[in-house]
Amino acid sequence: MEPVAVTDDSPETASKAEAKAEARADEAAAIRRRWITLGEVLTVIAVTISGLTLWNSWSQRSDTEASRTADDRRASARAATLVLTATGADDDTLALKTASAEQSVQSQRIAFPAALGLSAAETTGEPRIEAAWFESALKKARNAAKLPDNSRGDEKLPVLVTTRFLVDGTSHEDVALYEIGYSISGRWLGGHSITLRGISLLSRPRGGAAQGALDNRWKHLLAQEQAAGN
């Protein structure tokens, strides 16, 4: 005779089984919720890191571009700012060149103080200053002002130099007040000789004030020399 399996189908046993099943289901759901929450957090972290990386990259690129733009502007401003220097001068001619190798002088107009009664001298392609342009008028002006026959140092003659020049194929114009350094020696009866020494930049007067600035500078220099001679 085979043994008979005994099962407990009482309501209490069924209730306990259902409770255990529900507990297991709740635990499984909780585990799934935790994994979902952790995944969402990791996703947010990944998105945040990606966003920060992109922002940092953009910021660095923006800073680099801004710095490069600023450098280009400064370089462009320097290239467009003309400063003339004298090279290899002989006694009666100053050969001029630009301080920047990027600049190429096309033409110049050199204006003199109105009191000397001289027309402006003009050059093309060979920037220079020649004593012959103003020597005679300068000697007369010094004689009229009763200035010494011989220099006690480097004398100064202001001139207004208008220069057309190119930078990377672009044309620019510079108007600047320079002083020519010179010395004078000799006697009135035996004649005087003027030796050119160099030039120095004084200022860049604006527009219509340029000739006035030149004439005022000449008057100031004459007054200084006359005061020093008394």
Side-chain angles (χ1 to χ4, degrees):
M1 184 176 181
E2 293 182 1
V4 177
V6 179
T7 58
D8 187 356
D9 294 331
S10 65
E12 183 179 352
T13 301
S15 177
K16 288 181 179 180
E18 289 177 1
K20 287 181 180 180
E22 289 179 2
R24 285 194 296 271
D26 290 342
E27 184 178 355
I31 291 172
R32 286 196 299 273
R33 284 195 297 271
R34 285 197 296 272
W35 277 110
I36 291 172
T37 302
L38 179 59
E40 290 174 345
V41 170
L42 291 176
T43 300
V44 170
I45 291 174
V47 170
T48 301
I49 292 174
S50 177
L52 289 173
T53 301
L54 287 173
W55 180 87
N56 186 57
S57 176
W58 175 85
S59 179
Q60 288 181 339
R61 185 167 60 252
S62 180
D63 290 344
T64 300
E65 290 175 355
S67 177
R68 187 183 300 116
T69 299
D71 289 343
D72 290 345
R73 284 198 189 113
R74 284 192 291 269
S76 178
R78 284 194 299 271
T81 302
L82 182 75
V83 176
L84 298 171
T85 60
T87 64
D90 57 30
D91 287 351
D92 58 7
T93 301
L94 291 176
L96 304 180
K97 74 169 188 175
T98 63
S100 171
E102 299 173 346
Q103 300 163 337
S104 174
V105 174
Q106 300 300 292
S107 65
Q108 286 186 312
R109 183 178 186 274
I110 295 90
F112 303 96
L116 297 184
L118 295 169
S119 299
E122 297 192 12
T123 67
T124 300
E126 187 184 350
R128 67 194 185 279
I129 293 175
E130 298 178 13
W133 295 343
F134 57 84
E135 185 173 14
S136 177
L138 179 60
K139 289 177 182 178
K140 290 179 182 178
R142 289 182 62 88
N143 185 31
K146 297 181 171 53
L147 296 180
D149 290 348
N150 295 291
S151 299
R152 288 185 287 268
D154 281 358
E155 311 296 334
K156 299 173 183 177
L157 172 66
V159 291
L160 187 65
V161 182
T162 301
T163 305
R164 274 200 328 106
F165 64 101
L166 297 179
V167 178
D168 292 333
T170 301
S171 181
H172 299 268
E173 183 175 274
D174 178 78
V175 179
L177 192 61
Y178 283 84
E179 279 184 343
I180 301 172
Y182 71 93
S183 62
I184 186 166
S185 60
R187 298 289 178 183
W188 292 118
L189 293 178
H192 288 73
S193 63
I194 286 180
T195 301
L196 302 185
R197 299 299 188 188
I199 64 169
S200 60
L201 175 65
L202 282 179
S203 64
R204 288 187 169 84
R206 299 285 183 179
Q211 185 64 45
L214 171 61
D215 294 338
N216 288 336
R217 181 62 182 171
W218 171 244
K219 291 175 185 177
H220 175 72
L221 289 173
L222 276 184
Q224 271 190 331
E225 289 201 58
Q226 288 172 329
N230 293 331

